[in-house]
Structure formats: C-alpha cells, structure tokens
Amino acid sequence: MKRIYSTTNYLHVQKIQEVFSEKSIAYKIKFKNFFNPNIFDYARLGSLGNNDIVITYIFYVKKNDIKEALRLIKTSIN
C-alpha cells in the first residue's frame, strides 16, 4: 500500500472513509500523535495547560487505486 494523503482534520477523515467505503476502495489509516509544546521553558513554568496534542491521520491505498482515491479525496473534502 502507498501513502496518498495525510490530514489533521478529523472531519476530512470521516468524509474520506465514507466515500472510500461507498466506492469499495480498500484503505488503511495510520495516525501519529504530535505534541505541540508550550513556548515557555517547562523547567520554570510547567505546561500551564497550554499544550495540544495534534493527531495526523495518514491514508494508504493499493497502487492500482491511487488515481481514483486521490480524485475521490479531492471531491469529498472540497
């Protein structure tokens, strides 16, 4: 499977999953958590509750489905 698209927008993830299911496109999703730290020094101030976790969702499809999957993504999230 090839990586074709990544996003941090969960609404996009839902739309893409829906359209892939409707069109019977096999896919996998992997995700990574990224931590956006506070700009201040933790040793002095701590987190102050201002830290966000950003999840990046990465879509993978089979090589022979890449063109159709990209077309569907483009139409589903616009």
Side-chain angles (χ1 to χ4, degrees):
M1 297 198 122
K2 291 284 191 178
R3 178 181 175 163
I4 61 161
Y5 184 73
S6 60
T7 184
T8 57
N9 186 327
Y10 190 68
L11 293 176
H12 288 178
V13 172
Q14 291 176 323
K15 289 177 183 179
I16 293 167
Q17 286 180 302
E18 184 178 308
V19 74
F20 281 3
S21 294
E22 288 173 3
K23 301 296 183 179
S24 300
I25 294 191
Y27 67 93
K28 287 186 180 182
I29 298 178
K30 292 185 181 180
F31 60 92
K32 294 183 180 181
N33 293 334
F34 292 100
F35 184 66
N36 283 346
N38 189 330
I39 61 171
F40 301 108
D41 180 11
Y42 293 116
R44 286 184 280 153
L45 298 174
S47 68
L48 297 174
N50 292 327
N51 299 311
D52 294 326
I53 295 176
V54 176
I55 300 174
T56 299
Y57 301 90
I58 306 163
F59 282 86
Y60 295 82
V61 299
K62 294 179 181 177
K63 286 182 183 181
N64 57 341
D65 290 332
I66 290 175
K67 285 183 182 180
E68 179 65 9
L70 289 172
R71 185 187 69 76
L72 292 169
I73 289 170
K74 191 173 185 177
T75 59
S76 69
I77 62 172
N78 288 331

